[in-house]
Amino acid sequence: MTTTAPALVDYDDVVARYEPTLGLEVHVELSTSTKMFCGCPTDFGAEPNTQVCPTCLGLPGSLPVVNQAAVEAAIRIGLALNCSIAPWGRFARKNYFYPDMPKNFQTSQYDEPIAVDGWMDVTLEDGEVVRVGIERAHMEEDTGKSLHVGGAAGRIHGAEYSLLDYNRAGVPLIEIVTKMIPGTGERAPEVARAYVTQLRDLIKSLGVSDVRMDQGSMRCDVNLSLSPTGSGVLGTRTETKNVNSLRSVERAVRHEMQRQAGVLDGGGAIVQETRHFEEQSGTTRPGRRKETSEDYRYFPEPDLVPIAPSAEWVEELRGTLPELPWEHRKRIQEAWGLSDEELRDLVNAGALELIEATVAAGAPAGEARSWWVAYLAQQANTRGVELAELPITPAQVARVIALVGAGDLNNKLARQVVDGVLAGEGEPDEVVESRGLKVVSDDGALIAAVDEALAAQPDVVEKIKGGKVQAAGAIVGAVMKATKGQADAKRVRELIIERCS
Amino acid sequence: MSPDSGAISRDEVAHLARLARLAVTDAELDVFAGQLDVILGAVARVGEVAADDIPPTSHAVPLQNVFRPDVRRPGLSQEQALAGAPAAEEGRFRVPRILGEEQ
Ligand SMILES: [Zn+2]
């Protein structure tokens, strides 16, 4: 069945006539050391089928056992989202035929999720706050990875066969589902993006996942429906999968609003279906019609006993919640005296945590900030990597700053030390040693260089002798040049004045 | 017995067969509908015996909170993992073309 898709409606026109209702489902892969129900490792990028066992391969006779760390992570995520923690709940089998789960079912939670009914206040760029209700957060397991062979560009369509790697099958996942988010109007794409961004930051601060959308450890599905403004009738929704970056979240919402408006304007009906987001074009294409939940034939998992977190356990976990990331930022902003814009730039550049860690390692905030946003940002840019991926640690940066503070390095030498660290030459002190970068403040060597420079510029000497002390700058420059920048400029100036008096 | 007289219809059997990816002929649909009816009828008798004060039970043992620490345990090597596979390639399980849509 091929029909020509109706044209997209201009965005301003969409929001003038329709009200969007959003819903977001976010999957977060936990960074536990082992899988949800077995002791297999969860390392990213291992050789295929080397992190598997009878349990995660679904071999007969194997039995699952729940990973306590995953349950704790789920409870902490629930608490951080202001949810109630269910005092009792079971896992369920979600049955479906697809080779990404060798068991032919996914162990999930169905009608007894571990966390329910919470909220998160989402702050938009201009400071407007939207409260997003959280329906539930539940535990489940990830699926294996398929490689489709013989079709175009690894797509399933037209493939001759598929290859399965089950390393990821069974890795703990938390699925976080919002309540319906009505009333966001033209800001729906922005709200969606801000929610996912804040959720990512929150989960990162809990230390339970690395939440890398580019590596699939955080994935987002966007539910969207439109209703004619003022009608009060909820439209049919679609679920867009494969939305794998923050920018894509925003684009997917926007595109789906424009597409659905086109269908509705043409007198058509929205089909309740799963759609796939196409990163390249920023559009969505239809996927399978959604199976109803009866089709998954959920039933309580007989091989796992119920989970009943005691109130004491929950309170103990509540006590481990860190300061919320946005509160933390506010505090840092005040402490460092940053404008909103400066703070945003630091956050967007991924520099905030690095600077904080540098300060924690003993560096003054101003210098730590200046290193990361200037020289190191340049280096990251040149190499085409994220700031955090540069092969230098905040502790090493703090050490360089300390060496400058002690007068052992000047800024130029300090940059060379950093270059050495980035080039894998070792710790800052080792680079200073091996490259011979220490500031020369030993008077013997400096006096010789100063005398040489003075002898070369007798006119300047006359000026200094005549009281024009600022003329010494030219001699300082000459000495610095002669010593390849390694002289202690302050000491050089003192010596020049001494020698000319 | 007419196909639609019982608790489970012929259409429902066809739907279940599709979910289980079983090819079932028209004649078999009638047979299975009748057989499944008998099974459902037998199971339904439990509901007659259990009074309202007996809650539905999913687990026979009164256990809860059985956890394991987040500690790695040796699993299978790639060779062992693939040993029982009808086909393997590049260290992966090779499966026939997947029909239908991506999950
Ligand atoms: Zn395993």
Side-chain angles (χ1 to χ4, degrees), chain A residues 226-487:
Chain A
L226 290 183
S227 52
T229 302
S231 70
V233 182
L234 199 64
T236 303
R237 70 182 170 88
T238 59
E239 180 180 359
T240 303
K241 288 187 176 291
N242 199 27
V243 187
N244 292 332
S245 72
L246 294 170
R247 188 168 156 259
S248 298
V249 172
E250 194 167 353
R251 290 165 80 207
V253 172
R254 199 182 167 91
H255 176 267
E256 201 47 23
M257 285 169 70
Q258 294 179 279
R259 187 193 68 84
Q260 289 190 14
V263 173
L264 295 170
D265 282 358
I270 302 300
V271 180
Q272 183 171 343
E273 66 187 351
T274 301
R275 300 182 68 85
H276 293 270
F277 184 68
E278 302 275 6
E279 189 70 46
Q280 288 279 307
S281 57
T283 60
T284 64
R285 65 176 164 85
R288 80 197 140 104
R289 297 280 160 105
K290 206 133 170 69
E291 292 194 67
T292 63
S293 59
E294 290 107 72
D295 286 348
Y296 287 125
R297 292 151 292 146
Y298 282 99
F299 63 87
E301 167 57 75
D303 290 341
L304 293 168
V305 299
I307 293 179
S310 67
E312 295 77 51
W313 190 24
V314 172
E315 286 319 303
E316 191 189 313
L317 291 169
R318 195 190 299 278
T320 68
L321 295 185
E323 184 181 24
L324 293 171
W326 36 97
E327 285 171 3
H328 176 75
R329 274 176 207 162
K330 196 164 219 171
R331 193 165 57 75
I332 291 287
Q333 182 178 13
E334 277 161 23
W336 297 356
L338 302 175
S339 70
D340 287 352
E341 204 175 5
E342 286 171 323
L343 179 74
R344 193 163 58 230
D345 288 348
L346 292 187
V347 171
N348 290 343
L352 194 66
E353 287 166 19
L354 295 165
I355 296 169
E356 281 189 77
T358 309
V359 172
E367 279 149 65
R369 201 177 128 211
S370 135
W371 272 100
W372 285 106
V373 300
Y375 191 67
L376 289 165
Q378 262 172 38
Q379 303 310 306
N381 199 26
T382 311
R383 291 160 179 244
V385 298
E386 295 292 323
L387 210 44
E389 289 166 358
L390 281 177
I392 188 166
T393 64
Q396 289 169 328
V397 175
R399 178 61 188 152
V400 172
I401 293 170
L403 289 170
V404 174
D408 291 334
L409 293 176
N410 56 32
N411 283 332
K412 187 177 165 217
L413 293 173
R415 283 196 286 274
Q416 293 180 38
V417 174
V418 167
D419 290 343
V421 175
L422 292 174
E425 293 168 27
E427 291 299 315
D429 289 284
E430 289 166 343
V431 177
V432 168
E433 189 67 30
S434 61
R435 290 197 179 191
L437 295 176
K438 236 180 164 96
V439 164
V440 179
S441 51
D442 140 50
D443 278 1
L446 287 183
I447 286 168
V450 165
D451 285 349
E452 201 173 314
L454 289 173
Q457 301 189 64
D459 51 325
V460 179
V461 175
E462 285 314 308
K463 280 185 190 164
I464 299 172
K465 283 188 171 164
K468 286 195 165 179
V469 182
Q470 64 272 35
I475 307 291
V476 175
V479 173
M480 295 307 285
K481 199 171 175 189
T483 56
K484 298 196 183 76
Q486 280 176 244

Side-chain angles (χ1 to χ4, degrees), chain A residues 38 40 52-53 56:
Chain A
C38 63
C40 291
V52 292
C53 74
C56 55

Side-chain angles (χ1 to χ4, degrees), chain A residues 35 37-41 51-57 166-167 169-170, chain B residues 73-76:
Chain A
K35 293 187 179 180
F37 304 113
C38 63
C40 291
Q51 301 187 152
V52 292
C53 74
T55 300
C56 55
L57 285 180
Y166 292 120
N167 282 349
Chain B
R73 295 181 61 169
L76 302 174

Side-chain angles (χ1 to χ4, degrees), chain A residues 33-35 38-39 43 48-49 52 65-68 90 97-98 159 161-164 295 301 304 306 308, chain B residues 15 19-20 58-59 64-65 67-68 70-73 76 78 89 91-95 97 101-103:
Chain A
S33 172
T34 67
K35 293 187 179 180
C38 63
D43 302 334
N49 296 305
V52 292
V65 189
V66 174
N67 183 343
Q68 179 162 350
R90 290 170 295 189
F97 261 95
Y98 201 78
Y161 57 93
S162 299
L163 297 176
L164 271 298
D295 286 348
E301 167 57 75
L304 293 168
Chain B
H15 182 61
L19 290 175
S58 58
H59 295 75
Q64 54 190 26
N65 294 336
F67 300 127
R68 69 180 171 81
D70 186 21
V71 174
R72 295 182 177 197
R73 295 181 61 169
L76 302 174
Q78 188 187 74
E89 195 175 304
R92 296 170 172 89
F93 292 83
R94 180 177 162 154
V95 300
R97 189 147 54 114
E101 279 297 337
E102 293 170 64
Q103 293 279 325

